[in-house]
Amino acid sequence: MSAPRALPLRISFLRGETNGSYVQRLAWANGLQTAELLNRLGSGPATPIRPDEEELYLNAAALERLSALTGRPTVLLQQALRCLREEFLLTAPASMAAWTWLSPAPELPCVLRGCHRCGAAKGAFSPFFVWSDMPWQTCRRHGCWLDATPLPVTARATLRACMPLVLRAEQQRIRFERRMGPAGRILFADALSACAYWWNNPRLSLPVWIERQRPFPGLDYSAPFPALVLIYPEVVRLAQMFAQWERQHQAGLLNPDAWMRQMRLLFHSWGSPFEIDEVRLPVEMWLHRHRGHTVSKTRAPRWHPPSQLAKALSTCVPRGVPKAVGRAQATWGKWSCLPFRYARGMGVLPQERRTDILHLRPLYEPTEGTYWAMLPQPGPGCEALDPRRLC
């Protein structure tokens, strides 16, 4: 194919944008369908165009034709669009497709919808998609949360009040992962999985989360998003506690009892009774699976859940997870040693398991300090409303 003539209108590059998103915006800006513009790049598969889920990959010849269409040198295109770089170009024989759409590999970043206000500032008023190393992004400039789960505009606007807290937690996570290196992402995934256990069961949901939910009674929190917007600070703090355990045992300085006392104080600050086995279950499981890393001169806590709790573990696998949610959870699920995932929620729990939150009474003992006693659950018909479902 000869080099095509340049299109009349150029468009700005957007930070982190995918090839497929850029080509789609280029087509729309010039009054073309995306398929029409792709035909000018060469032959390709007759598959649906999904820039929100897949990436567009080109061979070297198609890249040259895209350069001619945009009026920009290939070097500039490769600097702005990561998947146009040499290592991502298709290397099939010339008789094969010049371009194709492929889903990102599990080890690659995720494709997310970009911040519409950032796009509008550069003249992009249509939806566009960007790469993210996590299944979500926060736009610090405009204070918004970006993920792969479609949410009504009203829901996103409602949660905007939580964004200052989330943005601070996101900055802490980034600093934490930079300090810890590759282990930081793994420990964060462990904390995220542990929090799914407490979140999915309204009896165990941290009171600090329930208080944070009260201004937004109409939202459905049974999926990871917008749940994560509300619980993010505690996830990051728990990851830091897991990191403290790892650093101390690698240095031979671990005191398990002192670490557990710190955890108890932390959970008390969140309003949750860490003394109760049912609450402590995911942390004990994490310790049990990490005990092989503990140096020999310290003793890692071992905990074997009662049969009732062990049986409950088998019900922590989500059912009927939306495709976008499942893909997002797979991203961090492969890093964590814990089995807990979001999206089970109250919507799929059988009626007999929709019990109330924990009813607790703080008690004081001179030698033990403050601890918690669990009160009997209320009788049928007297349960408190689940704050996740006040619709």
Side-chain angles (χ1 to χ4, degrees):
M1 294 176 63
S2 59
R5 183 181 296 179
L7 295 170
L9 292 180
R10 293 186 179 187
I11 60 172
S12 300
F13 293 118
L14 301 176
R15 184 177 180 181
E17 189 174 17
T18 66
N19 300 343
S21 174
Y22 176 79
V23 167
Q24 179 170 265
R25 288 196 306 114
L26 181 65
W28 289 351
N30 287 276
L32 300 173
Q33 295 294 322
T34 308
E36 293 180 72
L37 193 149
L38 289 174
N39 286 336
R40 300 189 186 190
L41 301 180
S43 61
T47 55
I49 296 169
R50 296 298 303 271
D52 58 331
E53 293 186 2
E54 299 180 325
E55 175 61 306
L56 176 67
Y57 292 90
L58 310 180
N59 64 14
L63 173 58
E64 292 295 333
R65 288 191 283 274
L66 181 61
S67 174
L69 282 170
T70 60
R72 300 179 187 273
T74 57
V75 173
L76 183 58
L77 288 173
Q78 290 177 318
Q79 288 175 348
L81 303 167
R82 69 185 297 274
C83 284
L84 288 182
R85 296 168 190 167
E86 296 294 334
E87 63 267 29
F88 294 106
L89 294 179
L90 300 176
T91 57
S95 60
M96 303 295 287
W99 53 267
T100 190
W101 293 90
L102 296 174
S103 297
E107 65 274 8
L108 291 180
C110 309
V111 175
L112 303 180
R113 187 164 178 165
C115 173
H116 69 283
R117 294 175 67 184
C118 288
K122 290 198 171 185
F125 298 98
S126 56
F128 67 97
F129 301 92
V130 298
W131 289 106
S132 172
D133 67 337
M134 293 291 277
W136 59 82
Q137 257 190 353
T138 57
C139 177
R140 282 178 282 183
R141 175 177 298 176
H142 298 113
C144 62
W145 177 273
L146 309 169
D147 58 57
T149 309
L151 276 179
V153 175
T154 53
R156 292 188 181 273
T158 300
L159 289 170
R160 197 169 296 152
C162 291
M163 286 311 300
L165 194 66
V166 172
L167 292 173
R168 287 195 296 272
E170 175 74 345
Q171 290 173 336
Q172 291 171 359
R173 178 191 68 82
I174 293 172
R175 289 196 297 267
F176 166 74
E177 291 188 359
R178 286 174 179 169
R179 185 172 65 253
M180 293 295 298
R185 180 61 54 83
I186 296 172
L187 294 171
F188 179 80
D190 287 339
L192 192 57
S193 181
C195 286
Y197 168 83
W198 297 305
W199 176 265
N200 289 347
N201 190 334
R203 295 183 65 247
L204 308 177
S205 188
L206 302 183
V208 68
W209 296 344
I210 296 174
E211 288 302 316
R212 217 170 277 157
Q213 289 171 247
R214 292 194 190 283
F216 320 112
L219 295 182
D220 180 0
Y221 298 101
S222 60
F225 316 106
L228 188 52
V229 176
L230 292 172
I231 71 174
Y232 210 31
E234 288 69 40
V235 175
V236 175
R237 186 68 186 92
L238 185 62
Q240 292 170 340
M241 288 300 296
F242 285 166
Q244 179 179 318
W245 172 281
E246 291 286 4
R247 285 195 305 267
Q248 289 178 353
H249 80 237
Q250 289 175 10
L253 303 173
L254 178 65
N255 183 332
D257 293 335
W259 187 86
M260 292 294 277
R261 283 195 296 270
Q262 285 185 270
M263 287 292 293
R264 178 178 172 178
L265 290 174
L266 179 62
F267 271 71
H268 282 192
S269 71
W270 295 339
S272 184
F274 194 66
E275 302 89 329
I276 296 176
D277 286 348
E278 191 177 6
V279 173
R280 203 168 60 248
L281 184 148
V283 174
E284 292 283 11
M285 176 177 283
W286 185 86
L287 293 172
H288 181 74
R289 294 186 174 185
H290 283 246
R291 71 182 187 277
H293 302 289
T294 306
V295 292
S296 57
K297 64 181 181 181
T298 62
R299 182 177 60 84
R302 299 189 181 210
W303 182 75
H304 302 284
S307 58
Q308 183 179 1
L309 295 184
K311 183 179 179 181
L313 291 176
S314 65
T315 67
C316 292
V317 179
R319 297 175 293 179
V321 181
K323 183 178 180 182
V325 172
R327 188 169 58 249
Q329 299 209 76
T331 303
W332 74 69
K334 67 179 184 290
W335 296 321
S336 177
C337 68
L338 296 177
F340 311 110
R341 300 294 177 264
Y342 294 79
R344 185 164 177 79
M346 291 302 294
V348 293
L349 282 177
Q351 184 67 38
E352 62 272 14
R353 292 199 58 205
R354 299 185 188 187
T355 51
D356 197 14
I357 61 175
L358 287 172
H359 287 255
L360 305 163
R361 178 177 59 190
L363 300 175
Y364 179 77
E365 163 59 46
T367 57
E368 294 292 329
T370 302
Y371 66 99
W372 300 83
M374 194 182 325
L375 302 178
Q377 293 296 313
C382 300
E383 299 91 345
L385 290 174
D386 175 15
R388 274 164 249 185
R389 290 287 180 175
L390 300 181
C391 298

